[in-house]
Amino acid sequence: MMETRRLTNSEIDIAAQMIKDGQLVSFPTETVYGLGASALNQDAVKKVYKAKGRPSDNPLIVHLSQGSDVYQYIGDYSNYLDKIIDAFWPGPLTIVLKLKDNTFSKDVTGGLNTCAFRVPNNKLAQELIQKTGPLVAPSANTSGKPSPTMAKHVLEDLNGKISAVIDGGSAKVGVESTVIDLTVDNQITILRPGGIGKEDLVNLLPEVNVCLDNHLIKEAETPKAPGMKYKHYSPNTKILMLGLDDDLPQALINYDGIKIGLLANDQLINQVKNYIFDYYSLGNKSDSQKAAAQLFAGMRYLDGKVDLILAETLKGDDKYSKAYMNRLQKATGGEYFEK
Ligand code: TXA
Ligand code: MG
């Protein structure tokens, strides 16, 4: 086992050198922590799959330090790409584009002729990528576990398997970036919901057709982003959704004697605090952005401490409620507490 160093923001040069040497370094982004390796070093990219236990048909996102860098790698693109990049990069948006031939190895792209790109909105990440060149960076968790929003989460999963993690505090968005497919002309397809919503894209480009990938509408469809087909984001402890806040008293009766961990807003927690074993706050009831930011941290906090996690569902139509529910559906396998 190697020693995994915990680096501070003043040690970016050490991290950059490790990456240039073909090693793996986790770094903070505004969404979740990424597991970085040089996109141009095939051996290093292979190590990423191994460290995470990631299926090899699940392609990676290439992270750049500035939007203008993307053009050297891509083939034909829509004339509104510039507008999207100007509006949303740096930020929580990943764009799938047609690739020029012989740009990245098949370990980066999963053998597809397209590639996902993103410019993270985080100073440390940008500084690191400026020094190293393009980095692949999947979320820095063991495949299937909740994505890491703090350096300590990265160490829970990958201590001894990677060279270092740069500690940049808590990730602000807390769920992974929105992924859009831009390989079809005049159409933007949302493959994974996140911090940039359908409404943001429609507002920017009212003349373009913005749609959701079929699997986000009908469960039986195969997702276009290969990674979305895997069971994801689950703690080891069983987790169920609470359809209604009012279901909670009944759940406490049904599960009498079982250690329950509640993942919910402050108001709900305050009502039942004395009757449950432990809880993790998703913030104020009306704050879906905060809830999305806390979801993964909450799953990790309660995992292994309790027998059963009960998680609040969000009913809102806004982008953060949708991103939250997408991740929670995957974590629970779609299972609700049933009275
Ligand atoms: O917020 C994020 O995007 C984080 C941070 C670290 O930047 N990264 C992240 O990476 O979530 P990862 O590898 O966990 O998720 C990448 C997603 C997967 O669902 C993958 O299948 C999809 O993007 N993807 C990658 N390349 C693709 C392509 N060419 N076509 C369609 N989907 C692609
Ligand atoms: Mg991931």
Side-chain angles (χ1 to χ4, degrees):
M1 230 169 74
M2 70 176 87
E3 184 209 356
T4 301
R5 290 183 63 182
R6 195 170 185 143
L7 301 174
T8 66
N9 56 6
S10 62
E11 294 172 307
I12 299 283
D13 282 326
I14 298 176
Q17 192 55 51
M18 287 171 164
I19 293 211
K20 288 181 196 160
D21 291 340
Q23 299 172 27
L24 308 185
V25 176
S26 174
F27 62 93
T29 83
E30 81 281 31
T31 57
V32 300
Y33 275 71
L35 179 56
S38 169
L40 304 171
N41 180 335
Q42 191 170 9
D43 288 336
V45 176
K46 281 186 200 296
K47 286 185 197 165
V48 168
Y49 286 88
K50 187 151 182 253
K52 280 182 59 88
R54 181 179 177 105
S56 61
D57 67 343
N58 188 7
L60 302 169
I61 299 171
V62 173
H63 292 63
L64 306 170
S65 64
Q66 51 180 21
S68 55
D69 287 348
V70 79
Y71 296 98
Q72 62 191 294
Y73 304 116
I74 60 178
D76 308 339
Y77 57 90
S78 315
N79 54 11
Y80 46 83
L81 173 62
D82 302 15
K83 242 181 157 177
I84 295 181
I85 288 179
D86 271 356
F88 302 120
W89 278 0
L93 181 73
T94 292
I95 310 178
V96 175
L97 294 161
K98 287 181 199 155
L99 207 51
K100 260 186 208 156
D101 287 344
N102 306 319
T103 10
F104 297 112
S105 68
K106 66 174 188 338
D107 297 289
V108 174
T109 61
L112 300 171
N113 56 6
T114 58
C115 183
F117 294 93
R118 169 166 126 77
V119 177
N121 188 12
N122 177 294
K123 279 265 142 50
L124 289 178
Q126 287 171 14
E127 247 183 81
L128 178 68
I129 299 166
Q130 260 162 30
K131 291 176 194 285
T132 59
L135 295 183
V136 295
S139 47
N141 50 287
T142 301
S143 221
K145 293 287 131 210
S147 293
T149 57
M150 302 180 203
K152 72 169 185 190
H153 298 158
V154 175
L155 293 171
E156 281 167 13
D157 284 13
L158 300 177
N159 192 23
K161 295 183 174 173
I162 63 175
S163 293
V165 52
I166 306 171
D167 193 342
S170 288
K172 289 200 177 60
V173 181
V175 285
E176 306 85 345
S177 60
T178 301
V179 180
I180 59 172
D181 182 324
L182 227 63
T183 62
V184 177
D185 220 21
N186 231 31
Q187 181 175 311
I188 300 174
T189 311
I190 297 175
L191 307 183
R192 179 174 76 180
I196 302 294
K198 181 176 176 186
E199 61 275 25
D200 299 318
L201 294 158
V202 170
N203 285 341
L204 182 74
L205 297 165
E207 68 283 7
V208 178
N209 176 28
V210 184
C211 54
L212 296 179
D213 186 34
N214 279 334
H215 94 280
L216 295 172
I217 305 165
K218 277 192 264 157
E219 246 181 73
E221 300 283 334
T222 304
K224 211 171 161 209
M228 298 295 281
K229 71 174 180 270
Y230 298 106
K231 184 170 181 202
H232 246 95
Y233 320 120
S234 16
N236 293 320
T237 300
K238 183 160 181 69
I239 175 167
L240 294 175
M241 291 184 275
L242 281 172
L244 297 169
D245 292 359
D246 292 350
D247 291 347
L248 189 53
Q250 188 61 46
L252 297 183
I253 294 169
N254 290 15
Y255 294 118
D256 188 28
I258 285 178
K259 286 183 195 160
I260 289 189
L262 180 64
L263 194 51
N265 65 70
D266 289 333
Q267 286 78 353
L268 192 56
I269 287 172
N270 280 330
Q271 288 170 27
V272 296
K273 237 187 196 148
N274 299 329
Y275 309 102
I276 52 180
F277 185 81
D278 207 348
Y279 56 85
Y280 191 92
S281 167
L282 298 173
N284 199 292
K285 188 171 168 58
S286 56
D287 191 348
S288 58
Q289 180 168 3
K290 179 76 188 277
Q294 292 304 319
L295 176 65
F296 288 142
M299 286 186 201
R300 281 186 179 265
Y301 171 82
L302 293 170
D303 198 6
K305 273 205 185 77
V306 297
D307 301 322
L308 174 69
I309 301 171
L310 294 174
E312 175 189 3
T313 48
L314 300 187
K315 318 288 187 296
D317 208 26
D318 60 288
K319 60 189 173 187
Y320 294 111
S321 297
K322 284 180 183 157
Y324 173 98
M325 285 308 295
N326 174 267
R327 278 30 171 217
L328 184 59
Q329 293 269 3
K330 285 185 168 252
T332 57
E335 260 191 274
Y336 282 87
F337 160 71
E338 309 224 20
K339 285 194 202 175

